[in-house]
Amino acid sequence: MPKPRYRRRKEDRPAEITEAAMEAFAEKGYDATRVDDVARRAGVSKGLLYLYFRTKEELFKAVIRSFVSPKVTELQDMVQTSELSAEAFLRGPFLAFAQQLPRSPAAILVRLMIAEGPKHPDLTAYYWENVASHGLAALSQVIRRGVANGEFRPSALDDFPQLLVTPVLFSVLWLTVFQQHRRLDTDRMIEAHIDLVLRAIRADGKDKRI
Amino acid sequence: MPKPRYRRRKEDRPAEITEAAMEAFAEKGYDATRVDDVARRAGVSKGLLYLYFRTKEELFKAVIRSFVSPKVTELQDMVQTSELSAEAFLRGPFLAFAQQLPRSPAAILVRLMIAEGPKHPDLTAYYWENVASHGLAALSQVIRRGVANGEFRPSALDDFPQLLVTPVLFSVLWLTVFQQHRRLDTDRMIEAHIDLVLRAIRADGKDKRI
Amino acid sequence: MPKPRYRRRKEDRPAEITEAAMEAFAEKGYDATRVDDVARRAGVSKGLLYLYFRTKEELFKAVIRSFVSPKVTELQDMVQTSELSAEAFLRGPFLAFAQQLPRSPAAILVRLMIAEGPKHPDLTAYYWENVASHGLAALSQVIRRGVANGEFRPSALDDFPQLLVTPVLFSVLWLTVFQQHRRLDTDRMIEAHIDLVLRAIRADGKDKRI
Amino acid sequence: MPKPRYRRRKEDRPAEITEAAMEAFAEKGYDATRVDDVARRAGVSKGLLYLYFRTKEELFKAVIRSFVSPKVTELQDMVQTSELSAEAFLRGPFLAFAQQLPRSPAAILVRLMIAEGPKHPDLTAYYWENVASHGLAALSQVIRRGVANGEFRPSALDDFPQLLVTPVLFSVLWLTVFQQHRRLDTDRMIEAHIDLVLRAIRADGKDKRI
DNA sequence: TATGAATGAGATTTCATTCAT
DNA sequence: TATGAATGAAATCTCATTCAT
C-alpha cells in the first residue's frame, strides 16, 4: 500500500507542522533543531514548511503562540470564574494547574525561552505582552482577593506574586536536567510550597513579626 | 587591530581561554558563540585553542567546571563554619549569598545548563555530581540543624530543601528574559521568600495547623 | 487581494501572459523574474501558465518573439514604401524610428538578449534569422539606393550598414546603466550621429549642415 | 603524484579566484554562475572563497574592479602622454585601443554591466565614478585638443564624445550574440567609423581619404 | 480547463576543525 | 608551540515544476 506522496490538506498543515516543530524544539533546542527534521516529522517537504512559515524564527514563534497562550488563558479563566475562597482556590484548582504545568508542552517552551530569549528580543516582547504579564496579573488578583476578604494579612507576597510559581519553574528545570540523577516528586514539592506560603500569610496566624 | 586582551603567560593560557569563553558564552549562548571569537578574545590563535581543548564542547565543559564549582564550595564552607542559629544563618549569610547569585557569572552558566544541558548528558552528570548534589546537601544540613535544635518544626521543607532556592533560579530567568519589560527587585523578592518560609516553619509560631 | 489585471478571455490568454512576462522581465531580468510573479501579473494561476508555456524558457522566447518582430517589420515597411531621397529618408522617418527605439519595450528586450543570449543559442538564432538580418538588410537597401542614385559616394558604410545604428544600442545601454549619473540626450546624440555620417558620405562633398 | 590538497598561498588567492570568477561570469552571467563553480575553477574550496569575498556580490564587484579599471587608466595615459595631432592620435593609438577592446576581458564585463547593472546600483555607481566618467573625459579631451589647434571644426561631437566609441560597444554585442550567424570584422568596422567621423569634422573640409 | 498546495533539487553561506608552515 | 589559511559538511531558504483536486 504505497502512501500517497501528495496530500492536499491546507487546513491541517499549520497545526501538523507546529506540533512537529514543538517536539523537535523540545528535544534539541532552537539552534540545534533542523528545519529538515521538523519537515520530516510533519511528513511534509521542506518547501511546504516554508510556504506556511516564512523563516525558522517565524515557526518558533508560532509554536510559542499555539502552545503557551492557551495555558495562560486557562489560568485567567480559572481565576475569574472561581467562587472559592482564595485559600481554597490556591490549594485546589491553582495547585492542580501548577502541578501539571512542568509536564506540559508549555513547560518545554519555558526552557526554550530561557535559552533562546536573549537572541530573539521581539519574541520575548511578545511573550511578555501576551503570556507572562497576564499570568502575573492573574496571580496578583488572587492574592488581592484573599487580602480583601480578610483571609490573608498584607505581606510581601502582594508585591511579589511571582513567589507563588517559583517552584513550577524550578520543577521544569529539574525535570529536564537532573531528574535522571535524582528523582524529585514535583507534585509534592509544589504542594508543599503552596502550603508553606499559605501558612505564612494566613490572617489568623498569631505570627506577626516585622 | 584589536590588542589581545590577555598577556602571554604560558601557564595561564587555559584559564585565559576559559575566561574568554565564559564571556562569549554568556553573551551569545553556546551555539551562537564562534570558536573564532573566543580565540580572539583570549588573544590566542584558533589553532592554539584547539591544542588545549579538543572540541568546542570540551571547552564548554571546562568553562562550566571552572566557574560553578567555586560557588558551591563557598556555600558548603559557609554552612560548615557558621556558628549562627539556623534562622540567623538563613537571614544573614545565606540570604546575601542567594541575592548575589543571579547576577554572578555562575548564574549565566545556569542559563546555559538549562539551554544546553539536554544535549550534553555527561555534563549534566558532572554538574549533578560535583555541584548540585553538594548544594542540596548543604541546604539540607541547615534545615536539619534548625529542626534538631528546636528552631524549626518538622515540615515539608525537610524533604524539599530546594524550596529555599527556587526564587534564585526564578530571578536568573527574570533578569535574562523579562527585566527590560518589567523591572523586578530580585534582592527583595529573595528576602521576602526566605521570610515567608521561615515564618511557616518556625517552631514557636502559634500557627499549628497541619 | 489584488485584482487580476486582465479580464478573462480565453483566446487572448497567451498574449496576456506574454505581456505580463514582458513587464516582469523588463523590470527584473530573466533569472530574477519569478514565474509566480508573472502569473499574478497576468491574473492567472501558475498551473494555467504552464499549460500555455512548457517552461520558463519557452515563455521567455515567446516574449522576445512577440515584441521584437513587429519593430523590424515596421522598419522594412518604411524602407520599402518611402519615396524620399536616401538622405531625406535617413534624416526623417529613419531618424524618428531610431530615436524612439531606446525607450520602447523592444529596447528592453535587446538588453535581455545581451544578458541571456549566450545561454539560449536557439533564441539568438531565431533572433538573427527573423529580426537582425532583416534589419540589416533594410539598412543596406537604403544605403545602396543612395549610392545608386548618386547621393552617396561609395564608402565603408556599404560594408558596414551597422554603423547607422550603433548609437541606438549605445543609448539603450546608457539609459539603463548611466542615465541616473549623467543625463544623456539620446535623441540629439542619435541625430548628431546621422548628421556626421551623412556629411562623410555625401557625394557632392559640400557641407549642407542645417 | 597526489596533488596536495592543501596549498598555502595567501598572496595569490584573491587574484586566482577573481580570474576564475571572471571566466565563469563571462560564460554564464551573474545569476547563473554558481559560487561552487567559481571555487572549483580556482582550485579552491567554497569556504576559502568566502574567506576572501564576503558574498557573491562582493566577488562580482572585485572582478569588475580588477579587470576594467586598468583599461581606462591605459586610455587616460595614452591621451595624456601622446604628442601626436588629434587626428593622428585617433587613427593610430586610439584606433588600436578601440579595436582590441571588444576581445578583451573588459568587454565581457561591459556585457555583465548591461545585464546586471539595474540590480546592483552601487556597482553601477562605482563603475560610473571610476571607469566610465574618466573614459568620457579622456575622449572629450582629445576632441577639444583637435578643435583648439584647428584640426577639427566645432561639431556635435564636442557635446557627444560618446559617438567615438559606439561601434566598440556594438562590436562587443555582435561578437557575443551574432558572430556565429554572421561574421563581422569589427576591426575594420571600428576603423571605418573613425574614418567617417574624422571626415565629417575635419576643419579643412577637403577629403583626405587614404 | 483551472487551481495552488506540494515537491525536491539546488543555491548561498557558515563554521568547527585540520594541518602545512 | 603557534599560526591562520584552508577544508567540507551541513544549514537555511528559494523556486521551477508537478499534480491531486
Side-chain angles (χ1 to χ4, degrees):
Chain A
M1 60 198 121
K3 210 197 291 180
R5 265 194 355 195
Y6 206 101
R7 297 173 308 157
R8 212 187 173 81
R9 293 239 306 283
K10 193 188 180 179
E11 312 299 296
D12 307 339
R13 290 306 195 200
E16 286 171 16
I17 294 169
T18 281
E19 271 158 45
M22 172 70 207
E23 276 180 41
F25 285 140
E27 275 177 33
K28 316 240 196 189
Y30 179 80
D31 282 298
T33 291
R34 305 299 155 218
V35 173
D36 234 344
D37 183 35
V38 173
R40 208 170 14 253
R41 281 175 200 249
V44 142
S45 72
K46 235 190 317 182
L48 185 59
L49 188 156
Y50 276 93
L51 206 64
Y52 290 105
F53 305 94
R54 288 208 328 280
T55 62
K56 188 185 178 185
E57 190 176 330
E58 281 302 320
L59 174 59
F60 184 54
K61 289 182 188 174
V63 169
I64 295 277
R65 278 181 203 111
S66 59
F67 284 84
V68 175
S69 294
K71 282 291 167 191
V72 134
T73 307
E74 190 185 335
L75 175 62
Q76 287 180 298
D77 287 352
M78 274 171 43
V79 170
Q80 250 123 45
T81 64
S82 167
E83 299 183 338
L84 299 171
S85 73
E87 175 157 0
F89 178 78
L90 289 175
R91 289 192 188 273
F94 175 78
L95 175 59
F97 176 80
Q99 283 174 330
Q100 54 82 36
L101 262 185
R103 276 182 300 267
S104 79
I108 293 165
L109 292 170
V110 169
R111 228 194 84 223
L112 287 180
M113 284 300 309
I114 296 169
E116 311 298 338
K119 266 184 292 185
H120 304 280
D122 52 338
L123 182 56
T124 59
Y126 171 88
Y127 192 77
W128 168 253
E129 214 79 59
N130 297 65
V131 180
S133 65
H134 294 119
L136 197 59
L139 297 179
S140 274
Q141 192 178 340
V142 174
I143 296 164
R144 276 201 312 273
R145 188 187 298 169
V147 174
N149 64 24
E151 288 179 83
F152 304 153
R153 61 176 179 80
S155 75
L157 196 63
D158 305 349
D159 297 330
F160 301 107
Q162 292 94 338
L163 287 175
L164 279 176
V165 293
T166 56
V168 173
L169 181 67
F170 190 92
S171 296
V172 170
L173 302 174
W174 193 281
L175 291 177
T176 340
V177 181
F178 295 132
Q179 187 71 348
Q180 56 184 315
H181 301 110
R182 170 87 105 240
R183 295 206 75 253
L184 174 66
D185 185 334
T186 59
D187 284 353
R188 280 189 55 223
M189 183 181 75
I190 293 170
E191 182 177 9
H193 176 80
I194 299 287
D195 181 59
L196 286 178
V197 170
L198 284 173
R199 282 165 187 272
I201 64 171
R202 272 230 208 76
D204 58 12
K206 304 302 178 303
D207 191 358
K208 298 221 167 111
R209 173 132 39 126
I210 286 186
Chain B
M1 69 196 102
K3 218 190 296 181
R5 301 194 37 186
Y6 298 94
R7 254 357 249 143
R8 306 293 168 99
R9 283 170 305 173
K10 265 187 186 178
E11 313 74 38
D12 304 347
R13 281 282 173 66
E16 285 168 359
I17 293 170
T18 282
E19 271 162 46
M22 168 71 204
E23 280 180 36
F25 286 137
E27 275 175 34
K28 317 241 197 187
Y30 179 79
D31 281 293
T33 291
R34 307 292 157 231
V35 173
D36 240 336
D37 183 33
V38 173
R40 207 168 18 253
R41 281 178 200 247
V44 141
S45 76
K46 235 192 313 186
L48 189 55
L49 188 155
Y50 271 91
L51 214 60
Y52 289 109
F53 304 93
R54 288 207 332 280
T55 65
K56 188 186 181 185
E57 192 176 330
E58 283 303 320
L59 174 61
F60 179 58
K61 290 178 186 173
V63 169
I64 296 280
R65 281 184 200 108
S66 60
F67 282 82
V68 174
S69 295
K71 280 291 166 192
V72 133
T73 307
E74 190 184 334
L75 176 62
Q76 287 180 298
D77 288 352
M78 274 171 44
V79 171
Q80 251 124 44
T81 64
S82 166
E83 301 185 336
L84 299 169
S85 74
E87 174 156 0
F89 178 78
L90 288 176
R91 288 194 188 272
F94 176 77
L95 174 60
F97 176 80
Q99 284 174 329
Q100 54 81 35
L101 263 184
R103 277 184 298 268
S104 76
I108 292 164
L109 292 172
V110 168
R111 232 194 82 225
L112 287 179
M113 282 299 307
I114 296 165
E116 310 300 334
K119 270 185 290 182
H120 305 279
D122 51 340
L123 181 57
T124 60
Y126 170 90
Y127 192 77
W128 167 252
E129 213 79 58
N130 298 67
V131 180
S133 63
H134 293 101
L136 199 60
L139 296 179
S140 275
Q141 192 178 342
V142 174
I143 296 164
R144 276 201 311 274
R145 188 188 299 168
V147 173
N149 63 25
E151 287 180 84
F152 304 153
R153 62 176 178 79
S155 75
L157 196 62
D158 306 348
D159 296 330
F160 301 107
Q162 293 95 336
L163 288 176
L164 280 176
V165 294
T166 57
V168 174
L169 187 66
F170 190 92
S171 296
V172 171
L173 161 68
W174 195 281
L175 291 177
T176 338
V177 180
F178 295 133
Q179 187 70 348
Q180 57 183 314
H181 299 108
R182 171 88 104 239
R183 296 205 76 253
L184 175 65
D185 185 334
T186 58
D187 284 353
R188 280 189 55 223
M189 184 181 75
I190 293 170
E191 183 178 8
H193 176 79
I194 299 287
D195 180 59
L196 286 177
V197 170
L198 285 173
R199 281 165 188 271
I201 64 171
R202 271 229 209 77
D204 60 11
K206 304 301 176 307
D207 189 0
K208 301 228 166 99
R209 176 146 26 136
I210 295 180
Chain C
M1 71 195 102
K3 219 191 292 181
R5 301 195 35 188
Y6 298 94
R7 256 352 255 139
R8 306 293 168 100
R9 284 169 306 173
K10 264 189 188 177
E11 313 76 37
D12 302 347
R13 279 284 171 66
E16 285 168 358
I17 294 170
T18 283
E19 271 163 46
M22 168 71 204
E23 281 180 35
F25 286 137
E27 276 176 33
K28 317 241 198 188
Y30 179 79
D31 282 293
T33 292
R34 307 291 156 229
V35 173
D36 239 336
D37 183 34
V38 173
R40 205 165 23 248
R41 282 179 200 247
V44 141
S45 75
K46 233 190 317 185
L48 188 54
L49 187 155
Y50 271 91
L51 215 59
Y52 289 109
F53 304 94
R54 288 207 331 280
T55 65
K56 188 186 180 183
E57 191 176 332
E58 284 302 320
L59 174 60
F60 180 58
K61 290 178 186 173
V63 169
I64 296 280
R65 282 185 198 107
S66 60
F67 282 82
V68 174
S69 296
K71 280 292 166 192
V72 131
T73 307
E74 191 185 333
L75 176 62
Q76 287 180 298
D77 287 354
M78 274 171 44
V79 170
Q80 250 124 44
T81 64
S82 168
E83 300 184 338
L84 298 170
S85 73
E87 174 157 2
F89 178 78
L90 289 176
R91 289 192 188 275
F94 175 76
L95 175 59
F97 176 79
Q99 284 174 328
Q100 55 81 36
L101 263 184
R103 275 182 300 269
S104 77
I108 292 165
L109 293 172
V110 168
R111 231 195 82 224
L112 286 179
M113 283 297 308
I114 295 166
E116 308 300 332
K119 270 183 290 182
H120 306 279
D122 53 338
L123 181 57
T124 60
Y126 171 90
Y127 194 77
W128 167 252
E129 214 79 59
N130 298 67
V131 181
S133 63
H134 294 99
L136 199 59
L139 296 179
S140 275
Q141 192 179 342
V142 174
I143 296 164
R144 276 202 310 276
R145 186 188 299 168
V147 173
N149 65 23
E151 285 180 85
F152 305 153
R153 61 176 179 78
S155 75
L157 197 62
D158 305 349
D159 297 331
F160 301 108
Q162 292 95 337
L163 287 176
L164 280 176
V165 293
T166 57
V168 174
L169 188 65
F170 190 92
S171 296
V172 171
L173 162 67
W174 195 281
L175 291 177
T176 337
V177 181
F178 296 133
Q179 187 71 349
Q180 57 182 315
H181 300 109
R182 172 89 104 238
R183 296 206 74 254
L184 175 66
D185 186 334
T186 59
D187 284 353
R188 281 190 54 225
M189 183 181 75
I190 293 169
E191 182 177 10
H193 176 80
I194 300 286
D195 181 59
L196 286 176
V197 169
L198 284 173
R199 283 163 186 272
I201 64 171
R202 271 229 208 76
D204 57 13
K206 295 221 197 74
D207 193 316
K208 288 199 179 140
R209 174 141 33 134
I210 302 171
Chain D
M1 65 198 119
K3 210 197 291 179
R5 268 193 353 195
Y6 207 100
R7 295 174 309 154
R8 212 187 173 81
R9 294 238 309 281
K10 192 188 181 181
E11 313 298 298
D12 308 339
R13 290 304 194 202
E16 286 171 15
I17 294 170
T18 281
E19 271 158 44
M22 171 71 206
E23 277 180 39
F25 286 139
E27 275 176 33
K28 317 240 197 187
Y30 179 80
D31 282 298
T33 291
R34 306 298 156 219
V35 173
D36 233 345
D37 183 34
V38 173
R40 207 168 16 250
R41 281 176 201 248
V44 142
S45 73
K46 240 187 312 181
L48 185 59
L49 190 156
Y50 275 92
L51 206 63
Y52 289 105
F53 305 95
R54 289 208 328 279
T55 63
K56 189 186 179 186
E57 191 176 329
E58 281 301 321
L59 174 60
F60 184 53
K61 290 181 188 175
V63 169
I64 295 279
R65 278 181 203 111
S66 59
F67 284 83
V68 175
S69 296
K71 282 291 167 194
V72 135
T73 307
E74 190 185 335
L75 175 62
Q76 287 181 297
D77 287 353
M78 274 171 43
V79 170
Q80 250 124 43
T81 64
S82 167
E83 299 184 340
L84 300 170
S85 73
E87 175 157 359
F89 178 78
L90 289 175
R91 289 194 189 272
F94 176 76
L95 175 59
F97 176 80
Q99 284 173 329
Q100 54 81 37
L101 263 184
R103 276 182 301 267
S104 78
I108 292 165
L109 291 171
V110 168
R111 229 193 83 224
L112 286 179
M113 284 299 309
I114 297 170
E116 311 298 339
K119 265 183 292 183
H120 305 279
D122 53 339
L123 182 57
T124 60
Y126 171 88
Y127 193 77
W128 167 253
E129 213 78 59
N130 297 64
V131 180
S133 65
H134 293 119
L136 197 60
L139 297 178
S140 276
Q141 193 178 339
V142 173
I143 296 164
R144 278 202 310 274
R145 187 187 299 169
V147 174
N149 64 23
E151 288 179 82
F152 305 152
R153 61 177 180 79
S155 74
L157 197 63
D158 306 348
D159 296 332
F160 300 108
Q162 292 95 336
L163 288 175
L164 280 175
V165 293
T166 56
V168 174
L169 182 66
F170 191 91
S171 297
V172 170
L173 302 174
W174 194 281
L175 291 177
T176 342
V177 181
F178 295 132
Q179 187 71 348
Q180 56 184 315
H181 300 109
R182 169 87 107 239
R183 294 206 76 254
L184 174 66
D185 185 334
T186 59
D187 284 353
R188 281 190 54 223
M189 184 182 76
I190 293 170
E191 183 177 8
H193 176 80
I194 299 287
D195 181 58
L196 286 177
V197 170
L198 284 173
R199 283 163 186 273
I201 64 170
R202 272 233 206 71
D204 57 12
K206 295 216 198 76
D207 193 316
K208 288 202 177 136
R209 175 139 33 132
I210 300 173

